[in-house]
Amino acid sequence: MLDSPFCCCFNGQRSDDEPADRDPVLLVSGIAGSILHSKKKNFFGFESRVWVRLLLADFEFRKEIWSLYNPETGYVESLDDSIEIVVPEDDYGLYAIDILDPALWVKILHLTEVYHFHDMIDMLVECGYKKGTTLFGHGFDFRQSNRIDKAMDGLKAKLETAYEASGGRKVNLISHSMGGLLVTCFMYLHNDVFTKYVNKWITIATPFQGAPGCVNDSLLTGLQFVDGFKSFFFVSRWSMHQLVVECPSIYEMLPNPWFKWKKQPEILVWRSKSEEGGETSVVLESYGPTDSMTLFEEALKHNELDYEGKKFALPFNFSILKWANGTRQILNSAQLPKGIAFYNIYGISNDTPLDVCYGTQDSPIEEMSEICHTSPQYSYVDGDGTVPAESAKADNFEAVERVGVASSHRALLRDEKVFELVKKWLGVTEQVKSHPKKTSKVMDVYQSEC
């Protein structure tokens, strides 16, 4: 049998009988930070990667990932009812959060845009962590709510696996971005389990109070993960828009209306208004975190999705908003259990959207639905380019340490300063060995042999 990282990866057991020499680490990804597979519901259960992929990305995304929210279950369900979206659990959960498109040509070109936890996994392996004994990963279906049962059950199972595989040692969590909100929800809803299994929690770039500019704009015009020439090989901004309108996770990252912002986030719209006598005037309208819901409703009232010849209405979803408000109450109420050390790394020195503006005084918006096809203009604050530092460091927990690092949202996961902090807080150093170092070798799961 070949010594593949995927061997024995489904039973959660250690690959050898050596006792763990350190507390295990569980890496928790964030929004769009997990590989997703489309799995046929028939007997054979064939799986294919649909996120992330750089070849045929937009076509496969529309075909497999486009979804609708089911208010009866609380889950997002793919429009193609013959499939389900799953997260691969290979390599002890690390495969799904390592290189998000593990195709050979991506590795040859070293396209860092899809290198997610890869460098951090390498660093931890070099420090002596062993996959399946003291190093695990947790990816999840990021379309879903951060507090949905399946998400909570998945994290609980990973904590139990890491705890048992390491011989009963408590787990050190390292979360990134929205993964920190997932952990917060779990800590609130399963406080006893969290207390039993967790020793330390290090969170990186978590939008504790929301990501105002980016999330507000994503609901109106979509998301662009890759810029410039490379964007032609990736999912289009509009395809992402038609997904996020139905994603509870996005609504859960709207700006917290109860948080005391230094400056309240706003959506600004230059509007053309008809006056008596047939004349028109141009006014600048402002919408805060609460009254922006009226704007979303008006702007998205004609939004629809064309899927295989069928039309699906995709207005602003008030059922999701109601659910997300419940999540926000959980996030506002969560408390760190006694005895658990908490550390927070947040990004600084990057222009980060806070307010977003549509239209101009010379070219105002006439119908609010025009906003969805208008290029946004931002006003910026300090942060990581996605999450304002003000939001990321406002965790409301008693932290051992909070540190701002001059790096962007995704680049924080490969930043040397972040690595030094993580090693210090974990109490480990990189090991110098005479034989070649082990790295987090990422393979295509369909080419591995066990």
Side-chain angles (χ1 to χ4, degrees), residues 112-158:
T112 57
E113 288 85 354
V114 294
Y115 275 54
H116 198 50
F117 267 106
H118 180 77
D119 290 0
M120 185 173 289
I121 294 170
D122 273 355
M123 179 271 290
L124 291 169
V125 169
E126 289 169 1
C127 289
Y129 286 89
K130 297 179 182 178
K131 295 179 180 181
T133 303
T134 53
L135 183 58
F136 302 83
H138 180 58
F140 54 93
D141 183 352
F142 48 81
R143 302 173 305 162
Q144 310 292 349
S145 165
N146 287 291
R147 64 180 173 100
I148 201 74
D149 287 347
K150 191 173 182 179
M152 298 294 93
D153 293 344
L155 183 54
K156 179 184 178 183
K158 282 293 175 63

Side-chain angles (χ1 to χ4, degrees), residues 182-422:
L182 180 78
V183 172
T184 304
C185 288
F186 184 87
M187 185 172 66
Y188 178 89
L189 294 170
H190 301 278
N191 191 270
D192 55 337
V193 178
F194 193 88
T195 302
K196 177 181 178 180
Y197 292 124
V198 176
N199 178 38
K200 298 177 181 178
W201 174 22
I202 300 170
T203 197
I204 303 170
T206 296
F208 283 105
Q209 306 304 328
C214 290
V215 171
N216 281 337
D217 186 45
S218 72
L219 285 169
L220 291 168
T221 73
L223 283 170
Q224 189 79 47
F225 284 97
V226 180
D227 296 318
F229 175 75
K230 294 176 183 177
S231 65
F232 291 101
F233 300 95
F234 203 57
V235 178
S236 72
R237 187 182 186 94
W238 188 247
S239 293
M240 286 299 304
H241 175 265
Q242 299 298 66
L243 173 71
V244 301
V245 170
E246 289 290 295
C247 285
S249 59
I250 294 294
Y251 287 64
E252 289 168 350
M253 291 189 291
L254 283 164
N256 183 0
W258 295 281
F259 180 61
K260 294 183 179 179
W261 298 90
K262 293 178 182 177
K263 179 201 172 297
Q264 181 173 262
E266 295 178 296
I267 302 176
L268 303 169
V269 182
W270 285 102
R271 274 199 86 181
S272 176
K273 295 275 192 177
S274 298
E275 305 287 351
E276 292 184 7
E279 296 184 359
T280 60
S281 62
V282 176
V283 297
L284 181 62
E285 297 181 342
S286 172
Y287 301 83
T290 300
D291 50 359
S292 60
M293 305 307 141
T294 303
L295 169 62
F296 291 137
E297 180 182 23
E298 185 68 16
L300 294 169
K301 67 181 181 180
H302 299 307
N303 186 46
E304 62 180 16
L305 180 151
D306 189 339
Y307 182 79
E308 296 189 346
K310 297 180 180 180
K311 299 287 187 180
F312 295 88
L314 290 183
F316 183 70
N317 197 315
F318 281 93
S319 293
I320 298 180
L321 179 64
K322 181 179 179 180
W323 176 276
N325 286 338
T327 303
R328 173 47 62 189
Q329 294 299 325
I330 288 174
L331 296 172
N332 289 346
S333 303
Q335 295 183 354
L336 188 73
K338 292 182 179 180
I340 294 176
F342 173 75
Y343 306 84
N344 186 341
I345 297 173
Y346 55 93
I348 58 173
S349 303
N350 289 270
D351 287 339
T352 303
L354 180 72
D355 300 335
V356 58
C357 180
Y358 302 97
T360 65
Q361 191 168 9
D362 294 329
S363 182
I365 300 294
E366 294 185 5
E367 294 291 334
M368 294 298 265
S369 58
E370 295 174 18
I371 290 176
C372 297
H373 306 282
T374 302
S375 296
Q377 300 294 321
Y378 301 113
S379 63
Y380 299 96
V381 293
D382 188 37
D384 62 20
T386 300
V387 181
E390 180 183 9
S391 172
K393 63 185 179 182
D395 47 68
N396 292 327
F397 304 136
E398 186 175 341
V400 177
E401 198 169 351
R402 293 186 188 89
V403 180
V405 175
S407 190
S408 64
H409 191 70
R410 285 177 288 175
L412 284 163
L413 289 180
R414 56 180 182 270
D415 187 275
E416 288 299 326
K417 173 64 174 176
V418 171
F419 290 175
E420 291 303 315
L421 289 168
V422 168

Side-chain angles (χ1 to χ4, degrees), residues 49 53-55 101-111 233:
R49 177 165 41 84
R53 59 181 298 147
L54 299 184
L55 293 178
D101 185 341
L104 179 61
W105 70 273
V106 172
K107 300 172 201 173
I108 292 173
L109 296 176
H110 197 76
L111 298 179
F233 300 95

